[in-house]
Amino acid sequence: MIEQSQQSAIETTTITMTSAAADKVRELLKQENDPSLGLRIFVAGGGCSGLQYGMTLDEEQEGDTSVQMEGFRVLVDEMSLGYITGSEVDYVDSLMGAGFTVNNPNAVSSCGCGHSFKTADDGGQSRSCGCGH
């Protein structure tokens, strides 16, 4: 059994965001002008590495983990939580395009596009995601 003092030392952060990602989320939420919305981050089957990330603006659902960021909430469903705990979300705007990327310490491999990944205990089939990598 883990004592309370030991438990806090081994807990990991659910998710973090770079300032660029947080700024972009605040901008998107401001456009929606709906205070009930937060950024939902989820994992679904697919992509060229077996699993892929998804993000959408959504309301909190029963069973969600809600992480309060500066000015908004990040929502993660129970199934996705185990796959993305400890991840960092960034927003990149480059000549190759703009979008969110996820730096996931649980991923043992990922696609060059940064949108799909595979974990050590994932038996998913690799598929083409059309990203060209």
Side-chain angles (χ1 to χ4, degrees), residues 25 28-32 37-40 55-59 75:
V25 172
L28 294 169
L29 287 167
K30 184 177 179 182
Q31 290 173 4
E32 291 298 317
L37 296 178
L39 176 68
R40 177 171 301 283
M55 295 182 197
T56 188
L57 300 180
D58 196 8
E59 294 179 357
L75 310 169

Side-chain angles (χ1 to χ4, degrees), residues 49-112:
S49 296
L51 296 168
Q52 60 187 356
Y53 303 107
M55 295 182 197
T56 188
L57 300 180
D58 196 8
E59 294 179 357
E60 187 170 350
Q61 306 294 318
E62 186 176 330
D64 282 348
T65 294
S66 178
V67 180
Q68 187 64 44
M69 298 287 175
E70 193 173 312
F72 62 94
R73 293 172 298 136
V74 174
L75 310 169
V76 183
D77 65 89
E78 191 174 341
M79 189 281 296
S80 300
L81 187 62
Y83 288 109
I84 64 171
T85 294
S87 295
E88 179 188 63
V89 177
D90 192 11
Y91 184 79
V92 178
D93 191 356
S94 71
L95 291 174
M96 296 295 290
F100 291 97
T101 61
V102 180
N103 178 12
N104 187 343
N106 304 303
V108 294
S109 67
S110 61
C111 178

Side-chain angles (χ1 to χ4, degrees), residues 3 7 18-20 24 27 40 45 61 72 80 83 114 131:
E3 293 179 26
Q7 186 175 8
T18 65
S19 59
K24 187 63 176 180
E27 176 186 323
R40 177 171 301 283
Q61 306 294 318
F72 62 94
S80 300
Y83 288 109
C131 68

Side-chain angles (χ1 to χ4, degrees), residues 31-44:
Q31 290 173 4
E32 291 298 317
N33 196 27
D34 184 346
S36 68
L37 296 178
L39 176 68
R40 177 171 301 283
I41 302 175
F42 60 93
V43 172

